[in-house]
Amino acid sequence: MFKRILRPAVLAVCISLLAVSAFAAAPKYVIYFIGDGLGPTQRMAAELFYKMETGNPDAKLVMNTFPGSALVTTYSDNTLVTDSAAGGTALSCGFKTTNGYIAKLPDGSNIKTIAEAAKENGYAVGIVTTTRLTHATPASFSAHNPDRDAENEMAIDQANSGFDFFAGGGYRHFVAKDNKMGLKSKRKDDVDVVKMFTDKGYKTFVGDSTRDAFRAYTPKKGDKVFAALTSSHLPYEVERLHSTMKENKLPSLVELTEKAIASLDAQDKPFFLMVEGGRIDHAAHAHDPMSVIMDTIAMDDAVKAAYEFYKKHPEETLIVTAADHETGGVALGISMDSKGYFLNLKALENVKVSAEDNLDRYYNKLAEKEKDVEKRHAAFIKYVEENWALTDRTPGEDKILMDAMIVQDKNQDLSMEKKVRYGYSYTPTMVAVTDLISQRARIFWTSFVHTGTFIPASAIGKGADQFTGFIDNTDIPTRMAALMNVKLSDSKKTDSKALLGKTFGPQEKYSKIPYNQ
């Protein structure tokens, strides 16, 4: 026997070839969809509504046709019911953390996101959302903070990220307090984060007045884009489709996704794109079935756009769809009598506005304008007939609406702590209307907040077989990173007994609630 010694030069070539081979085996294009609050029932309701509207019993959501499928656990480090910050961190970093933490471990140390790891490895990176860009899920991929509400700080993190594409809402956290654009700001300082982007060479689109310029923009190699088109979140899809107000005619999620894909693809390098359908969660918090369904279908339209790209690059593309948690504890076909076993989604067809952005405050605004109680009640009934299809009411339904208006009339004279409110301080009239339309559709809600149920994930493309079975949310970015040959933060040994005690024993309260404001 004898030993064969490789010369250093030969060894270097071999290592180089192995590296090239590994990179060649990695998916070149990774598109990661996250439906905030998108549980299995929300996904099913959207598909059933889609079948009804198309008149095609075989119609399916595109994401429901993907060959790889999984059920995913979502609990956080400190509770069985995660919030979007801890859920987003698990989906972006592969670690459990405390509710409210953004890309940080419970001890406060930073952990690398899959987007940051991709950028380090030469990928172009994009973030798209229907929420504020500084909201929990997009922030979990592009910022680090122990407080999900520190959106002004996380805006600066995003400006320093070096990512290639941002599109969503929330310019109020990027424009300076006294900005020359005349835009409302939530900043308490004169830091102009938009200028930070501009100084770094980004093409910026800020405010709804830039929507046409954003639509007309043709991406080119070397371009970086920052688009914050609304002060807070983008409009719900149901209002974007029905409203004649110009601010609701903003680009849809599919438009944002198509622009992101075109922009990242123009860079002639691998790319990673995270797309969030963020307002599914907000609609489910408000028990708004039509907005849940329409925003889920809007997200699926974006998935379809990614799928069209995949068909051009089937050997190089990976698409994964997931969710950070379920919201609302929604069930389909619920009946409190023996006449169940059916849904009536047709009851939702003529709903024209969202609950949270329109209905919740509508009666209060009406009360400011119309002081005559009977006229005010009549105007509200007309409103719900025209916008929520609540016609042909039963005496019981009329009583529910009237009782809600009476309670809200009394609320006008009460201090904030004595007002009758529901969920995230939702008004009695909103809850009455959403409950009635849900009952007509045979949809039932068990919670105003998140639940601990499994969420569905699906995948297609290179490495899709890694996203199957019963898995945890932390498995998704971990497996994605392995496929992409990028490195997340090093694993830290977890004290399993401590985790069990925190998560499955007596749980800490997490009292912050402005998740969707």
Side-chain angles (χ1 to χ4, degrees):
M1 295 182 64
F2 60 94
K3 294 181 179 179
R4 299 179 68 178
I5 301 174
L6 289 175
R7 297 175 181 243
V10 175
L11 183 61
V13 170
C14 290
I15 292 172
S16 177
L17 288 172
L18 285 171
V20 170
S21 176
F23 193 79
K28 186 176 181 182
Y29 310 111
V30 178
I31 309 175
Y32 192 1
F33 287 90
I34 298 175
D36 199 319
L38 184 59
T41 312
Q42 287 89 338
R43 201 153 152 168
M44 189 72 250
E47 180 163 293
L48 292 172
F49 189 87
Y50 182 60
K51 289 176 185 287
M52 180 183 74
E53 290 298 285
T54 58
N56 178 7
D58 297 322
K60 288 183 176 292
L61 298 183
V62 174
M63 59 181 149
N64 288 350
T65 68
F66 289 174
S69 60
L71 288 176
V72 185
T73 49
T74 64
Y75 58 88
S76 67
D77 170 75
N78 66 318
T79 172
L80 288 172
V81 182
T82 190
D83 80 322
S84 293
T89 296
L91 290 173
S92 67
C93 303
F95 287 88
K96 298 290 186 185
T97 195
T98 305
N99 280 14
Y101 280 33
I102 298 289
K104 280 183 175 285
L105 292 175
D107 65 8
S109 57
N110 286 350
I111 37 178
K112 190 183 301 181
T113 77
I114 185 73
E116 291 168 337
K119 181 181 179 299
E120 286 180 359
N121 258 46
Y123 283 72
V125 175
I127 303 290
V128 168
T129 181
T130 52
T131 69
R132 297 189 295 271
L133 285 161
T134 48
H135 211 239
T137 302
S140 294
F141 284 78
S142 54
H144 301 270
N145 204 287
D147 180 5
R148 59 173 293 165
D149 295 328
E151 295 186 58
N152 291 342
E153 296 173 25
M154 293 189 290
I156 295 173
D157 283 355
Q158 291 174 333
N160 291 328
S161 69
F163 292 177
D164 301 81
F165 190 95
F166 286 94
Y171 64 67
R172 68 191 196 183
H173 297 289
F174 295 89
V175 298
K177 181 176 65 174
D178 299 314
N179 64 87
K180 295 179 181 179
M181 293 180 282
L183 298 174
K184 291 183 179 179
S185 175
K186 282 276 187 176
R187 299 197 67 84
K188 306 299 182 185
D189 53 37
D190 289 320
V191 175
D192 187 344
V193 186
V194 175
K195 187 175 185 299
M196 291 175 65
F197 277 103
T198 303
D199 289 347
K200 294 175 187 291
Y202 285 76
K203 294 184 179 299
T204 59
F205 303 88
V206 179
D208 59 59
S209 64
T210 65
R211 68 188 188 280
D212 293 337
F214 178 81
R215 281 191 171 109
Y217 163 67
T218 300
K220 296 187 292 294
K221 186 174 181 179
D223 284 358
K224 289 188 175 185
V225 173
F226 173 76
L229 301 172
T230 51
S231 173
S232 186
H233 308 305
L234 269 66
Y236 284 103
E237 186 68 3
V238 66
E239 282 168 340
R240 202 189 68 81
L241 292 173
H242 287 101
S243 178
T244 57
M245 297 173 64
K246 67 177 184 178
E247 58 266 31
N248 285 338
K249 293 302 181 182
L250 289 155
S252 62
L253 183 58
V254 64
E255 289 180 86
L256 299 181
T257 302
E258 288 172 339
K259 192 71 75 175
I261 291 173
S263 183
L264 296 176
D265 190 38
Q267 307 315 309
D268 287 336
K269 59 168 72 171
F271 70 71
F272 172 88
L273 172 63
M274 191 287 291
V275 179
E276 184 200 23
R279 305 218 68 190
I280 301 165
D281 168 72
H282 302 171
H285 277 296
H287 294 183
D288 181 350
M290 189 56 169
S291 290
V292 166
I293 287 169
M294 293 306 294
D295 269 56
T296 301
I297 291 173
M299 175 176 149
D300 194 63
D301 287 341
V303 173
K304 184 178 180 181
Y307 181 63
E308 292 301 317
F309 180 85
Y310 156 82
K311 288 193 292 186
K312 298 174 184 176
H313 310 277
E315 301 301 320
E316 300 176 297
T317 305
L318 170 65
I319 303 173
V320 177
T321 75
D324 49 1
H325 52 73
E326 193 275 346
T327 303
V330 64
L332 304 180
I334 293 296
S335 175
M336 301 309 289
D337 54 37
S338 61
K339 299 176 182 179
Y341 302 105
F342 73 92
L343 282 168
N344 181 27
L345 297 181
K346 206 160 186 65
L348 306 176
E349 275 187 316
N350 294 316
V351 175
K352 299 175 182 176
V353 298
S354 72
E356 185 193 25
D357 285 2
N358 196 305
L359 174 62
D360 188 37
R361 304 170 186 86
Y362 186 85
Y363 190 84
N364 289 343
K365 292 177 181 177
L366 196 61
E368 292 175 3
K369 296 178 181 178
E370 181 55 75
K371 301 304 179 182
D372 185 284
V373 175
E374 288 189 7
K375 289 182 179 179
R376 181 161 73 241
H377 289 180
F380 185 72
I381 293 297
K382 181 180 179 182
Y383 166 78
V384 298
E385 286 179 343
E386 292 177 350
N387 293 282
W388 286 85
L390 286 178
T391 56
D392 302 321
R393 293 179 305 281
T394 66
E397 289 177 326
D398 274 332
K399 185 177 186 305
I400 289 170
L401 290 175
M402 183 57 67
D403 287 349
M405 288 187 285
I406 290 171
V407 169
Q408 205 154 327
D409 286 334
K410 291 179 179 178
N411 273 354
Q412 304 302 318
D413 301 320
L414 295 175
S415 60
M416 181 59 71
E417 60 270 17
K418 292 183 179 180
K419 290 181 188 293
V420 177
R421 309 287 284 181
Y422 302 87
Y424 287 148
S425 291
Y426 297 134
T427 58
T429 51
M430 189 205 85
V431 172
V433 172
T434 56
D435 278 356
L436 285 178
I437 200 70
S438 295
Q439 288 169 22
R440 286 188 173 193
R442 296 284 177 156
I443 291 173
F444 184 74
W445 307 86
T446 64
S447 172
F448 279 107
V449 290
H450 305 166
T451 67
T453 190
F454 282 116
I455 60 92
S458 56
I460 192 170
K462 198 172 186 66
D465 60 340
Q466 296 298 304
F467 306 93
T468 60
F470 291 86
I471 63 176
D472 187 64
N473 52 8
T474 57
D475 293 326
I476 296 178
T478 302
R479 297 179 185 187
M480 194 177 285
L483 287 167
M484 296 167 65
N485 290 314
V486 304
K487 187 173 176 56
L488 294 174
S489 295
D490 291 331
S491 298
K492 294 188 176 183
K493 289 185 178 180
T494 302
D495 184 340
S496 59
K497 289 184 180 179
L499 182 61
L500 283 170
K502 291 168 69 177
T503 305
F504 297 97
Q507 295 175 35
E508 300 171 23
K509 291 182 180 179
Y510 185 73
S511 60
K512 290 190 176 185
I513 63 171
Y515 293 167
N516 56 345
Q517 299 303 311

